[in-house]
Amino acid sequence: MFLCVVVLGSCGEYNKILKSTDQDLKYTYAKKYFNEGKYSWASTLLEELVPYLKGTAQAEESLYLLGQSYYNAKDYMSSTQIFSTYYSSYPKGEYAEPALFYAAYGMYLDSPDPRLDQTKTYKAIVEFQRYIEEYPQNERAEQAKNYLFELQEKLAKKELLAAELYLKLGNYMGNNYESAVITAREALKSYPFSIYVEDYQMIILRAKYEFAERSISGTQPERYRVVIDEYFNYKNSFPEGKYMKEATKYYEHALKKVEELPSN
């Protein structure tokens, strides 16, 4: 019963403040609610106050608190917009460094699954790069680098999924084996240090092998020779690779086919 009275009393206070025309009082309570972890109440008041406080001594703080209110309420899209606005408005401001970091971090948290559109991921990468360039010595710079690498791995994963899909499609409505190879090769150029480098190289070998298998006899010898070349590319890069058994199977079969089939 006592708890209900406290909650009702608190809500009554908030509604009273919300209706007040005293902007200074509202700002005092906005900070109070923020410190109490009532971020929804704080953001509602701050949304009204930020335009009113523009050009005053509280302008920077109120805008930053609004961004933090959204962030703590897990509204990352809104927090990113506010932090970005803060940084563009006050690039040398008191909260410029954390604003730029949290703008990027909000985008990072909002970055979707690799199977989905990665526009937000690209934007987060740009913002983290910007942060690292602006604040290379800050204690958060190392965190920013780690988040940046993680986002790059997400993009690398998306390319891997695309290459795997092309490989699975095979000759359906065109030569998807070649598309798998092109996608994997471009990924190797874009993400040479990715954890998926071995997977890319193995997709190239698989695609070349499957393409040779499904080719007419007249073109098979040359295409199996390409399989042999790709096998050595894989073996030289990953002599104890996780796909070595599979790669060796393709290599031995290709060797046998080259010996059996007449050359043009």
Side-chain angles (χ1 to χ4, degrees):
M1 182 68 179
F2 175 74
L3 180 61
C4 291
V5 172
V6 170
V7 171
L8 287 172
S10 180
C11 289
E13 175 193 78
Y14 169 69
N15 287 326
K16 184 179 178 180
I17 296 300
L18 199 60
K19 295 174 183 176
S20 173
T21 57
D22 187 337
Q23 305 299 339
D24 292 332
L25 179 66
K26 280 188 173 181
Y27 189 54
T28 298
Y29 271 89
K31 291 198 289 185
K32 174 180 178 287
Y33 292 142
F34 178 86
N35 291 328
E36 291 174 354
K38 298 172 181 176
Y39 303 116
S40 177
W41 288 5
S43 63
T44 300
L45 290 173
L46 288 165
E47 284 167 2
E48 177 187 332
L49 290 166
V50 163
Y52 169 79
L53 294 172
K54 193 172 183 180
T56 70
Q58 292 82 30
E60 284 190 45
E61 182 186 53
S62 62
L63 189 59
Y64 182 72
L65 283 176
L66 179 57
Q68 283 288 357
S69 296
Y70 285 138
Y71 174 80
N72 287 314
K74 298 183 173 16
D75 183 353
Y76 301 122
M77 184 178 294
S78 296
S79 72
T80 293
Q81 290 174 347
I82 296 300
F83 286 132
S84 296
T85 299
Y86 177 95
Y87 190 79
S88 62
S89 301
Y90 310 104
K92 302 297 182 183
E94 181 180 353
Y95 308 102
E97 179 272 319
L100 184 55
F101 178 84
Y102 282 111
Y105 189 58
M107 293 179 188
Y108 161 83
L109 293 173
D110 219 21
S111 174
D113 182 273
R115 293 171 179 80
L116 303 176
D117 178 76
Q118 293 300 302
T119 300
K120 291 180 181 179
T121 303
Y122 283 110
K123 287 182 178 179
I125 287 173
V126 169
E127 288 304 301
F128 275 128
Q129 288 173 331
R130 186 181 179 190
Y131 178 86
I132 294 165
E133 289 172 4
E134 291 289 334
Y135 304 100
Q137 304 304 321
N138 191 276
E139 61 183 13
R140 277 190 272 250
E142 196 60 35
Q143 283 180 277
K145 289 176 186 177
N146 291 333
Y147 292 136
L148 179 61
F149 294 148
E150 189 177 331
L151 291 166
Q152 287 174 332
E153 285 299 312
K154 182 176 285 190
L155 296 179
K157 177 68 172 180
K158 184 174 181 66
E159 293 306 302
L160 177 64
L161 293 172
E164 288 175 338
L165 179 60
Y166 282 128
L167 184 61
K168 186 176 180 180
L169 288 172
N171 283 325
Y172 177 72
M173 296 182 72
N175 181 8
N176 291 294
Y177 295 120
E178 186 60 24
S179 297
V181 170
I182 292 171
T183 301
R185 289 201 195 284
E186 287 301 312
L188 283 169
K189 293 177 186 176
S190 299
Y191 311 105
F193 305 109
S194 170
I195 58 174
Y196 303 114
V197 166
E198 183 178 357
D199 301 278
Y200 296 145
Q201 290 207 349
M202 192 58 199
I203 283 177
I204 293 170
L205 176 55
R206 285 177 186 144
K208 292 295 186 181
Y209 174 79
E210 295 295 340
F211 186 51
E213 281 283 276
R214 287 158 179 76
S215 297
I216 60 174
S217 58
T219 61
Q220 281 187 318
E222 182 57 33
R223 289 175 182 174
Y224 278 119
R225 290 189 187 95
V226 172
V227 173
I228 293 169
D229 289 341
E230 291 299 340
Y231 163 78
F232 283 110
N233 283 339
Y234 174 80
K235 183 180 179 181
N236 291 337
S237 300
F238 303 97
E240 297 181 7
K242 59 185 177 181
Y243 302 113
M244 184 54 70
K245 185 176 180 180
E246 180 185 353
T248 301
K249 181 182 72 173
Y250 297 150
Y251 167 69
E252 291 174 348
H253 184 76
L255 271 182
K256 183 179 178 182
K257 285 292 187 178
V258 168
E259 291 172 358
E260 292 176 352
L261 293 166
S263 299
N264 291 334

